[in-house]
Amino acid sequence: MKIAVIGAGIVGVTTAYELATDGHEVTVFERHGTAAEEASFANAGIVAPGYVTPWAAPGLPLKVLSQLFGGFAPVKLCWPLSSAELTWLWKFYRACRIETYLANRARMHRLACYSRERLHQVTKDLQLGYDRSEGYLILLRSEQDRKRMQSSLQVLTEAGIAWQELSTEIAQKIEPALNPRMKFHSAVNVLGDEVGNCREFALLLKNEAQAKGVNFVFNSVVTRIDVTPAVQVHLQNPKTALLFDAVVMCAGLASAPLLRPLGLKIPMAPVYGYSVSAPLREPLNAPRSAVMDERYKVAITRLGNRIRVAGNAEIGGSPLHKNENAILTLYKVLNDWFPGAAQHSTGVQVWKGARPMLPDGPPLLGASGIPGLWLNCGHGSSGWALSCGSARAVADLITNKKPAIDLAGFGVARLTG
């Protein structure tokens, strides 16, 4: 089939690759000048299936409200909030019911485990050499942090994910560069988790997709999609309409406005995250892989010769405004655990990115209910962890194959019905 993929983030690139592997003629349209320029650009890079869970969890709304005015709160509401964002927050609140949360958690974990398997397989088959390392250490500052962690550890146990609770001494053997003056209670080592450079992987896979015949059309804005009498993709410049047999929507936040004229009203909102990336000053003072500060929900990752600290979730406000407190939180956590690891004088990149979040958690995968239109969007903050599995599963559906995992609960009907 002749298939258009809208968007060249990590989800769009993996989708194009899988479709080309199946023998389809694929064209990818991307409004930026290269791949992975938005949510895929500077994320933490952690691939940890046990931590891929819905944000819509019991107790979270009350927790957010209690931290609303805290300077270092990991989740913030910012003004102004649009009417669409207020509607999204209401749907989010309703999805926090325990039965909804448990069902969506199981779905996302299933997809995340499959996605990690596919990531490893693609990396091995293509011999992709991107910055990656194994290991994920969760640092607990106090006994109170340890107690709050117990419900998350129970989730890992129920999911069959191996973990170890470690003393501070053992934690410092795993990550020798941890600040010896930083007093903390303990740590949790999640076995099998890893960190990788999402954008680097996306660019390498784009090259492999091109070698399979995929045509990437950059600096190309899609203004409209028509499905009758035939599937057409309308471009802004040049102003033209191109015919395809099918379209796969992988456009992140741009997916919702493109789907709306077709009758699909998808409740998708931007949830902003931040990261600071800097060259290593001294590799011996940097983490070997990835650590997470459980209290502040901030991850510190080693990506080759750079260190990245990422975290925060911001709903509302302006995409152009960077919250000073959010950035200060990242620097604080980095300095607490790995002082002197980063070179701050040159080459520092401060990033704010919008993750396309659906209120209940899981992405939209599969048929849209409209002939010729397929969905692979709404991955939120888990796009890197879910991308390879999502792409393979959607490609299987388009090729009329049975996916390797159960996709119940990932359909559009749960949001529009």
Short mmCIF file of all heavy atoms in Angstrom, two decimals, residues 240-264:
data_model
loop_
_atom_site.label_atom_id
_atom_site.label_comp_id
_atom_site.label_asym_id
_atom_site.label_seq_id
_atom_site.Cartn_x
_atom_site.Cartn_y
_atom_site.Cartn_z
N THR A 240 -0.97 21.74 -2.14
CA THR A 240 -1.30 20.62 -3.00
C THR A 240 -1.94 19.52 -2.17
O THR A 240 -1.89 19.54 -0.94
CB THR A 240 -0.04 20.08 -3.70
OG1 THR A 240 -0.39 19.07 -4.63
CG2 THR A 240 0.94 19.51 -2.69
N ALA A 241 -2.57 18.57 -2.84
CA ALA A 241 -3.17 17.41 -2.19
C ALA A 241 -2.59 16.15 -2.82
O ALA A 241 -2.55 16.02 -4.05
CB ALA A 241 -4.69 17.43 -2.33
N LEU A 242 -2.11 15.22 -1.97
CA LEU A 242 -1.50 14.00 -2.46
C LEU A 242 -2.36 12.81 -2.07
O LEU A 242 -2.93 12.75 -0.97
CB LEU A 242 -0.10 13.84 -1.85
CG LEU A 242 0.87 15.00 -2.14
CD1 LEU A 242 2.17 14.80 -1.39
CD2 LEU A 242 1.12 15.13 -3.63
N LEU A 243 -2.46 11.84 -2.97
CA LEU A 243 -3.31 10.67 -2.78
C LEU A 243 -2.55 9.52 -2.15
O LEU A 243 -1.39 9.25 -2.52
CB LEU A 243 -3.89 10.21 -4.12
CG LEU A 243 -4.91 11.15 -4.79
CD1 LEU A 243 -5.27 10.62 -6.17
CD2 LEU A 243 -6.15 11.31 -3.92
N PHE A 244 -3.20 8.83 -1.21
CA PHE A 244 -2.62 7.66 -0.55
C PHE A 244 -3.70 6.62 -0.34
O PHE A 244 -4.90 6.91 -0.41
CB PHE A 244 -2.00 8.04 0.80
CG PHE A 244 -0.79 8.93 0.68
CD1 PHE A 244 -0.92 10.32 0.68
CD2 PHE A 244 0.47 8.39 0.55
CE1 PHE A 244 0.19 11.15 0.56
CE2 PHE A 244 1.59 9.20 0.42
CZ PHE A 244 1.45 10.58 0.43
N ASP A 245 -3.25 5.40 -0.03
CA ASP A 245 -4.20 4.35 0.34
C ASP A 245 -4.57 4.43 1.81
O ASP A 245 -5.65 3.99 2.22
CB ASP A 245 -3.59 2.97 0.04
CG ASP A 245 -3.29 2.77 -1.44
OD1 ASP A 245 -4.18 3.05 -2.26
OD2 ASP A 245 -2.17 2.34 -1.76
N ALA A 246 -3.65 4.96 2.62
CA ALA A 246 -3.90 5.06 4.06
C ALA A 246 -3.02 6.15 4.65
O ALA A 246 -1.98 6.51 4.08
CB ALA A 246 -3.63 3.73 4.76
N VAL A 247 -3.43 6.66 5.81
CA VAL A 247 -2.67 7.66 6.56
C VAL A 247 -2.55 7.17 8.00
O VAL A 247 -3.53 6.68 8.59
CB VAL A 247 -3.36 9.03 6.55
CG1 VAL A 247 -2.64 10.02 7.46
CG2 VAL A 247 -3.43 9.59 5.14
N VAL A 248 -1.36 7.31 8.58
CA VAL A 248 -1.16 7.00 10.00
C VAL A 248 -0.83 8.31 10.72
O VAL A 248 0.13 9.00 10.39
CB VAL A 248 -0.02 5.99 10.22
CG1 VAL A 248 0.01 5.54 11.68
CG2 VAL A 248 -0.18 4.79 9.31
N MET A 249 -1.64 8.64 11.72
CA MET A 249 -1.48 9.88 12.46
C MET A 249 -0.49 9.68 13.61
O MET A 249 -0.79 8.98 14.58
CB MET A 249 -2.83 10.35 12.99
CG MET A 249 -2.79 11.68 13.71
SD MET A 249 -2.21 13.04 12.67
CE MET A 249 -3.57 13.12 11.49
N CYS A 250 0.69 10.29 13.49
CA CYS A 250 1.75 10.21 14.51
C CYS A 250 2.26 11.60 14.82
O CYS A 250 3.46 11.79 15.09
CB CYS A 250 2.90 9.34 14.02
SG CYS A 250 2.48 7.69 13.46
N ALA A 251 1.38 12.60 14.77
CA ALA A 251 1.81 13.99 14.79
C ALA A 251 1.84 14.62 16.18
O ALA A 251 1.86 15.85 16.31
CB ALA A 251 0.90 14.82 13.88
N GLY A 252 1.83 13.81 17.24
CA GLY A 252 1.89 14.38 18.58
C GLY A 252 0.73 15.32 18.84
O GLY A 252 -0.43 15.01 18.53
N LEU A 253 1.03 16.50 19.38
CA LEU A 253 -0.02 17.46 19.71
C LEU A 253 -0.79 17.93 18.49
O LEU A 253 -1.96 18.31 18.59
CB LEU A 253 0.58 18.66 20.44
CG LEU A 253 0.94 18.44 21.90
CD1 LEU A 253 1.75 19.61 22.42
CD2 LEU A 253 -0.31 18.24 22.75
N ALA A 254 -0.15 17.94 17.32
CA ALA A 254 -0.83 18.37 16.11
C ALA A 254 -1.88 17.37 15.64
O ALA A 254 -2.67 17.68 14.75
CB ALA A 254 0.19 18.62 15.00
N SER A 255 -1.89 16.18 16.23
CA SER A 255 -2.86 15.16 15.82
C SER A 255 -4.29 15.60 16.07
O SER A 255 -5.16 15.43 15.21
CB SER A 255 -2.58 13.84 16.56
OG SER A 255 -1.30 13.36 16.30
N ALA A 256 -4.55 16.16 17.25
CA ALA A 256 -5.93 16.50 17.62
C ALA A 256 -6.57 17.49 16.65
O ALA A 256 -7.69 17.25 16.18
CB ALA A 256 -5.98 17.02 19.06
N PRO A 257 -5.94 18.63 16.32
CA PRO A 257 -6.58 19.55 15.37
C PRO A 257 -6.73 18.98 13.97
O PRO A 257 -7.66 19.36 13.25
CB PRO A 257 -5.66 20.78 15.38
CG PRO A 257 -4.39 20.33 15.98
CD PRO A 257 -4.72 19.23 16.92
N LEU A 258 -5.85 18.07 13.56
CA LEU A 258 -5.99 17.45 12.24
C LEU A 258 -7.14 16.44 12.22
O LEU A 258 -7.77 16.23 11.19
CB LEU A 258 -4.69 16.76 11.84
CG LEU A 258 -3.54 17.68 11.41
CD1 LEU A 258 -2.26 16.88 11.23
CD2 LEU A 258 -3.90 18.41 10.11
N LEU A 259 -7.41 15.82 13.37
CA LEU A 259 -8.48 14.82 13.43
C LEU A 259 -9.86 15.44 13.63
O LEU A 259 -10.87 14.84 13.24
CB LEU A 259 -8.19 13.84 14.58
CG LEU A 259 -6.97 12.93 14.41
CD1 LEU A 259 -6.68 12.19 15.70
CD2 LEU A 259 -7.18 11.95 13.26
N ARG A 260 -9.89 16.63 14.22
CA ARG A 260 -11.18 17.24 14.56
C ARG A 260 -12.10 17.43 13.36
O ARG A 260 -13.30 17.11 13.44
CB ARG A 260 -10.94 18.56 15.29
CG ARG A 260 -12.19 19.09 16.02
CD ARG A 260 -11.85 20.33 16.84
NE ARG A 260 -10.86 20.03 17.85
CZ ARG A 260 -9.66 20.60 17.93
NH1 ARG A 260 -9.31 21.51 17.03
NH2 ARG A 260 -8.81 20.29 18.87
N PRO A 261 -11.63 17.94 12.21
CA PRO A 261 -12.54 18.12 11.06
C PRO A 261 -13.11 16.80 10.52
O PRO A 261 -14.11 16.81 9.81
CB PRO A 261 -11.65 18.79 10.01
CG PRO A 261 -10.55 19.43 10.78
CD PRO A 261 -10.30 18.52 11.93
N LEU A 262 -12.47 15.69 10.90
CA LEU A 262 -12.96 14.38 10.47
C LEU A 262 -13.98 13.80 11.44
O LEU A 262 -14.46 12.68 11.25
CB LEU A 262 -11.78 13.41 10.32
CG LEU A 262 -10.75 13.81 9.27
CD1 LEU A 262 -9.53 12.90 9.35
CD2 LEU A 262 -11.35 13.78 7.88
N GLY A 263 -14.29 14.56 12.48
CA GLY A 263 -15.29 14.10 13.45
C GLY A 263 -14.71 13.41 14.66
O GLY A 263 -15.46 12.92 15.51
N LEU A 264 -13.37 13.35 14.77
CA LEU A 264 -12.73 12.73 15.93
C LEU A 264 -12.25 13.82 16.88
O LEU A 264 -11.29 14.53 16.59
CB LEU A 264 -11.55 11.87 15.48
CG LEU A 264 -11.87 10.54 14.82
CD1 LEU A 264 -10.58 9.83 14.40
CD2 LEU A 264 -12.68 9.65 15.73
#
